[in-house]
Amino acid sequence: MTINTLSQDGVQRQQMSCLTKMERMVISMQDPDMGIKLRNQRLLITVIPHAMTGADIVEWLIKKCSISDEEALHIGQIFVKYGYIYPLKEPRNLILKVDDSPYRFQMPYYWMSTRWPASELDYAIYLAKKNIRKQGELIEYEKECYNALHKRINHTWDFVVMQAREQLRASKQRRKADRIVLKCQEQAYWLVNRPPPGTLDSIDHGPERRTMNTRVQLNAEFYKKEIEHNRISLARNRVKSSICLESYVKYCEQYQPHDPIMQGCLPSIPWITDDIMFWNMNCETVAVPTKLRVERWSFSFMELLNDPMGRKEFLTYLKKEFSAENLCFWQACEDVRHGETSKIPEKVDEVYKQFLTPGASRWVNIDSKTMEKTLEGLKRPHRFVLDDAQMHIYFLMKKDSYPRYLKSDLYKNLFARAIVPQETKKSVFPFMRRQRHSSPSPALATQAAEDDGKAKNSNSFKSNSGTASRR
Amino acid sequence: MCDQTFLAITFGPCDNCSQNKPLMNIYLKNEPINYCSLCVELMACQGLAKGETIHTLKTESETLKAKLEEERAKLHDVELHQVAEKIEALGQFVMKTRRTLKGHGNKVLCMDWCRDKRRIVSSSQDGKVIVWDAYTTNKEHAVTMPCTWVMACAYAPSGCAVACGGLDNKCSVYPLSLDKNENLAAKKKSVAMHTNYLSSCSFTNSDMQILTSSGDGTCALWDVESGQLLQSFHGHSADVLSLNLAPSETGNTFVSGGCDKKANVWDMRSGQNVQSFETHESDINCVKYYPSGDAFATGSDDATCRLYDLRADREVAIYSKESIIFGASSVDFSLSGRLLFAGYNDYTINVWDVLKGTRVAILFGHENRVSSVRVSPDGTAFCSGSWDSTLRVSVRFRFSGESDLRNILYSMVLLFTGIRDYRW
């Protein structure tokens, strides 16, 4: 498949909104009252009218958008890179300098949105003009381009040369200042559209993106589906904004102490201090967890289940309550849902034997309606056949066992035993980088476990290398 | 059929079956007609019969859309920043780059974190996919894909495999072997097949299933082992550029965004489009769920990022600034959801306060477009991949609470060394 980056339709569409915004800003920059003050700038011996300094541009941007110097400089740079403003002193160097170097606005004729993509013919005429003027002394890459074009559009070469001569003749009849200005404008345009090798190509885009009407057939079928979808959406239950938005505030507040970017973490952020204690203290198999970690289990049932340590603790608790089979069943269902397609029938069969058969060793208590539905579905087992039963057990645990676990001694004792790590001792010379130790690749760890697991005979459902926790 | 609700304005004899029923007012060939719902269904089932045109269907769809927006607006009683007024404002953030990963010869298009919180997989334009230990900056694995523009890559939850794809229209899974002599490409598994470029891929909760989105306008769920298509999702009318799985309890939905300016929420089991949002003015480049799963953020070519709430069923916040002209290519939330990191096509990364809607930091440093921004799984750092062929892992630099001399000295030195890293 070829990438057609010069496709008029595709790329113009992608860039258009940015270009329109930039142009709007450029126009407001040139506003006689609120815009940048233009003066005459002296370039060697000639005086160029309507020019401004780099510092002016940056200052105006700072005032207009209420931003910092760095950002204003950055935005100014973009304008220069895209050819809306060009430098007069060092025309080949398209950068913005925050001093009194003179700059000028590019004519709308040469704007990206109007004259894009730049045509080969125009480029050929430009190079021909330059060639004639400089009597063959073109810059290396321009010479290469010139020769390449000569070969490619040889059939129109007479026209090219004739146009070049005409344009040069016409320009000789202008005032010197105008001539210089026009030359600079044209040169700036071509620097943007045919960047010299090694410089950044500002109009480089990704692969072509087609828009509507070309990928999906917008036929009756499509619209009917849309109508159906919209009708269902109309009937949906909605929640008041105030309630929804309050929940974000609560969530952010609750999780803020756990967010290292917001509040840092103890002992320290490994990326800053080169100390990986934070990761070691929070790994799966640590003996004593941190207080923050144990606290997080109380935020929601999902948090508890997502943490392998939390899950283990919960299982211990359930064993005491003689309802451990619920969690095992839930885990087995997860395994079916996310496991290999080929193993589904045998896994579902196992689940049935262990959990659903009346009189099974680990029978789970599901209501009769769900049980009937599930047993019916087991005749033709598929990935989601255990979904209803799993959901039932999940909510059972969530509403009943989970709140009791949080109030239990097991949890409270663990929380009391949990540690608050000491902040990493700061060395006096932090710029002496500590040794950054590598860690074993997860691929290695699981490979070893797999080899282990193959040796053992597992008759209960352990999470295999396929499924993994979300933490 | 009869469980559909519609607005009945009149009750009377149907033009078609002459029975007395609630009537729907529809137009055929610009003439209003009154059919009962049953007759309307019958007519619709006959396809474009009886003077129906695509135009009439389109108009009907648009009218419904407008009504939908009206309904959505009715329950919108307060703005997010108003609710957030009572919260303390965040101060200025100082972000420093702590690691720069160099090794790609060409534009970095995509990256993903491993669940071990330190490893990263990244893919680039020249077809190279590299697995790094970002903490030590060592390269651990490298694969060369047979195609260019590898726009999608993902790390498997177990850390044992990576998935990637791009202009080859496929998604391939490479198991990561630790045998230095083994050629990773040998064990490659071709999983997904689309009819156009692969824009994004993601493993579901296990290594066994992959969700992909493509330039052919569809998303699809695949079984890794057999390469079988488990479910396909149709509803976008243009290229789908990004997708993200919901962190919900039931783990059954995901959101996708595309060039048709729509963000769609899908049910993975049935393949149905559950909710749809269309308020952006240009292509949606990236979608990401809020950590609680109740909302998602989008980054688009119209230079804005927006937050959509699933329960309120509407857009609830816009993150934009006059000085931001270029599109956002990638977004991600911090762990608590308070911050939104967005990478833009003007080479910067802007960090937004999600609740207040203001910008808290802007990062320079990349020398070309930022193509991908991801926060690490434990929220300690964020990584940005750019077209300047580097990846940078950056952190928030905070001055410690205590103000004794040692701490001040320490912080100052760290700041300066940070600057050294950052410029590199």
Side-chain angles (χ1 to χ4, degrees), chain A residues 71 215 236 248 338 469, chain B residues 115 206 209 215 274 309 359:
Chain A
E71 198 182 345
R215 292 278 191 243
R236 169 196 299 284
Y248 300 154
H338 296 292
S469 67
Chain B
R115 283 187 190 183
S206 78
Q209 282 150 55
V274 173
D309 185 299
R359 185 179 66 185

Side-chain angles (χ1 to χ4, degrees), chain A residues 334-353:
Chain A
E334 282 288 285
D335 200 33
V336 170
R337 219 151 50 111
H338 296 292
E340 295 116 310
T341 313
S342 53
K343 297 216 177 110
I344 289 181
E346 66 174 86
K347 279 190 187 162
V348 170
D349 202 42
E350 265 300 309
V351 167
Y352 174 70
K353 286 207 198 95

Side-chain angles (χ1 to χ4, degrees), chain A residues 9 12 14 120-121 252 297 301 330 366 402 407 435:
Chain A
D9 238 293
Q12 260 203 341
Q14 252 175 288
E120 283 203 320
L121 196 62
C252 289
W297 299 345
F301 190 38
W330 180 84
I366 313 176
Y402 174 62
K407 296 200 192 95
Q435 166 105 101

Side-chain angles (χ1 to χ4, degrees), chain B residues 39-243:
Chain B
C39 293
V40 169
E41 300 295 354
L42 283 175
M43 193 176 69
C45 291
Q46 287 162 25
L48 286 181
K50 299 207 174 165
E52 226 181 31
T53 60
I54 303 228
H55 180 74
T56 54
L57 285 177
K58 188 168 175 192
T59 338
E60 195 182 338
S61 177
E62 313 262 296
T63 339
L64 279 173
K65 260 190 223 165
K67 242 181 235 154
L68 183 60
E69 288 307 315
E70 255 177 60
E71 286 296 312
R72 280 172 167 172
K74 278 187 190 155
L75 285 174
H76 190 59
D77 50 347
V78 70
E79 295 288 334
L80 182 55
H81 62 86
Q82 289 172 299
V83 172
E85 259 161 31
K86 59 184 185 230
I87 317 172
E88 224 178 274
L90 299 170
Q92 272 303 307
F93 275 42
V94 176
M95 304 284 194
K96 293 285 170 205
T97 297
R98 294 301 291 172
R99 303 285 191 277
T100 305
L101 304 176
K102 294 190 196 185
H104 277 290
N106 218 311
K107 309 182 169 90
V108 174
L109 300 174
C110 186
M111 53 121 332
D112 191 19
W113 286 91
C114 176
R115 283 187 190 183
D116 76 345
K117 307 152 195 173
R118 47 191 284 176
R119 285 179 168 79
I120 288 179
V121 64
S122 60
S123 65
S124 74
Q125 182 195 353
D126 57 6
K128 277 247 171 52
V129 176
I130 302 181
V131 176
W132 317 72
D133 178 350
Y135 183 70
T136 56
T137 70
N138 292 338
K139 298 190 202 40
E140 295 196 338
H141 305 268
V143 181
T144 308
M145 294 271 287
C147 69
T148 59
W149 287 92
V150 185
M151 291 176 265
C153 65
Y155 223 120
S158 66
C160 299
V162 293
C164 44
L167 283 188
D168 57 351
N169 303 356
K170 295 203 269 245
C171 183
S172 316
V173 176
Y174 292 85
L176 294 175
S177 161
L178 290 152
D179 185 350
K180 291 290 173 207
N181 295 323
E182 192 169 346
N183 183 10
L184 283 184
K187 286 231 176 107
K188 155 178 153 178
K189 228 185 281 192
S190 226
V191 175
M193 291 279 272
H194 280 280
T195 52
N196 216 302
Y197 66 88
L198 193 85
S199 53
S200 175
C201 66
S202 168
F203 282 90
T204 61
N205 252 338
S206 78
D207 285 15
M208 298 295 135
Q209 282 150 55
I210 289 192
L211 199 54
T212 58
S213 68
S214 161
D216 63 9
T218 66
C219 303
L221 181 66
W222 309 83
D223 177 64
V224 173
E225 221 193 2
S226 58
Q228 198 191 6
L229 173 68
L230 297 174
Q231 184 65 263
S232 75
F233 306 91
H234 298 262
H236 278 287
S237 52
D239 308 19
V240 184
L241 296 177
S242 170
L243 60 83

Side-chain angles (χ1 to χ4, degrees), chain B residues 233-302:
Chain B
F233 306 91
H234 298 262
H236 278 287
S237 52
D239 308 19
V240 184
L241 296 177
S242 170
L243 60 83
N244 188 230
L245 280 147
S248 75
E249 300 184 290
T250 46
N252 262 336
T253 58
F254 72 95
V255 64
S256 68
C259 290
D260 55 355
K261 312 175 195 167
K262 279 209 221 130
N264 290 336
V265 180
W266 307 87
D267 177 86
M268 275 205 282
R269 196 177 146 169
S270 62
Q272 287 300 314
N273 177 0
V274 173
Q275 266 174 293
S276 193
F277 303 89
E278 194 176 346
T279 61
H280 268 293
E281 292 157 18
S282 188
D283 302 357
I284 296 179
N285 291 319
C286 187
V287 289
K288 249 318 147 42
Y289 268 97
Y290 185 78
S292 71
D294 292 328
F296 65 90
T298 56
S300 155
D301 271 344
D302 64 4

Side-chain angles (χ1 to χ4, degrees), chain A residues 12-261:
Chain A
Q12 260 203 341
R13 191 187 56 80
Q14 252 175 288
Q15 285 286 316
M16 260 334 247
S17 53
C18 311
L19 296 178
T20 330
K21 278 195 207 117
M22 283 172 78
E23 280 156 21
R24 228 181 293 144
M25 224 185 228
V26 166
I27 291 172
S28 66
M29 270 193 217
Q30 295 179 59
D31 181 88
D33 303 312
M34 299 297 291
I36 305 179
K37 294 256 177 326
L38 302 175
R39 324 170 246 275
N40 294 344
Q41 290 279 347
R42 185 166 281 272
L43 187 70
L44 298 178
I45 41 173
T46 34
V47 175
I48 314 286
H50 306 303
M52 60 210 156
T53 65
D56 282 340
I57 300 173
V58 174
E59 202 188 304
W60 186 88
L61 282 169
I62 294 176
K63 230 187 282 168
K64 177 84 178 356
C65 310
S66 334
I67 48 183
S68 65
D69 316 16
E70 203 178 1
E71 198 182 345
L73 178 61
H74 181 86
I75 297 179
Q77 293 276 22
I78 294 179
F79 280 107
V80 176
K81 272 204 199 100
Y82 273 79
Y84 288 99
I85 296 175
Y86 60 91
L88 291 169
K89 217 191 255 178
E90 274 171 54
R92 301 208 73 84
N93 203 4
L94 287 180
I95 56 169
L96 182 69
K97 291 203 200 122
V98 192
D99 51 19
D100 55 1
S101 340
Y103 290 85
R104 261 184 127 253
F105 288 108
Q106 180 65 286
M107 269 203 302
Y109 176 71
Y110 280 128
W111 279 359
M112 231 337 157
S113 52
T114 48
R115 299 265 298 160
W116 198 93
S119 79
E120 283 203 320
L121 196 62
D122 287 336
Y123 194 42
I125 295 174
Y126 169 68
L127 286 177
K129 272 200 292 190
K130 226 177 173 186
N131 202 18
I132 296 173
R133 244 179 327 134
K134 295 226 168 128
Q135 286 142 6
E137 286 301 311
L138 289 175
I139 306 174
E140 193 54 54
Y141 86 93
E142 276 180 348
K143 214 180 265 184
E144 276 173 33
C145 291
Y146 185 68
N147 294 333
L149 279 170
H150 184 90
K151 251 188 248 164
R152 244 206 320 272
I153 52 173
N154 209 344
H155 49 284
T156 58
W157 204 250
D158 292 335
F159 174 72
V160 167
V161 173
M162 184 190 76
Q163 269 294 301
R165 289 218 181 94
E166 272 302 309
Q167 288 186 13
L168 278 175
R169 197 176 56 76
S171 75
K172 281 211 178 80
Q173 297 174 348
R174 305 183 93 101
R175 277 174 33 229
K176 180 145 193 221
D178 287 346
R179 220 181 322 149
I180 294 181
V181 158
L182 286 170
K183 191 173 69 110
C184 285
Q185 281 174 347
E186 206 182 7
Q187 183 178 50
Y189 175 73
W190 288 112
L191 277 171
V192 171
N193 283 282
R194 292 282 187 274
T199 60
L200 190 68
D201 186 2
S202 9
I203 47 179
D204 190 4
H205 307 118
E208 191 188 314
R209 285 183 201 170
R210 305 264 194 77
T211 171
M212 318 202 196
N213 305 327
T214 51
R215 292 278 191 243
V216 173
Q217 275 249 310
L218 292 181
N219 52 14
E221 198 49 54
F222 176 77
Y223 282 116
K224 284 199 184 125
K225 262 207 193 134
E226 279 229 331
I227 292 169
E228 186 56 42
H229 172 79
N230 286 332
R231 272 212 205 113
I232 296 174
S233 305
L234 263 174
R236 169 196 299 284
N237 276 331
R238 282 177 202 89
V239 181
K240 261 203 298 197
S241 285
S242 44
I243 300 174
C244 302
L245 303 176
E246 267 303 319
S247 73
Y248 300 154
V249 175
K250 281 207 197 85
Y251 188 92
C252 289
E253 246 173 59
Q254 188 179 47
Y255 278 84
Q256 186 159 316
H258 299 257
D259 187 348
I261 295 183

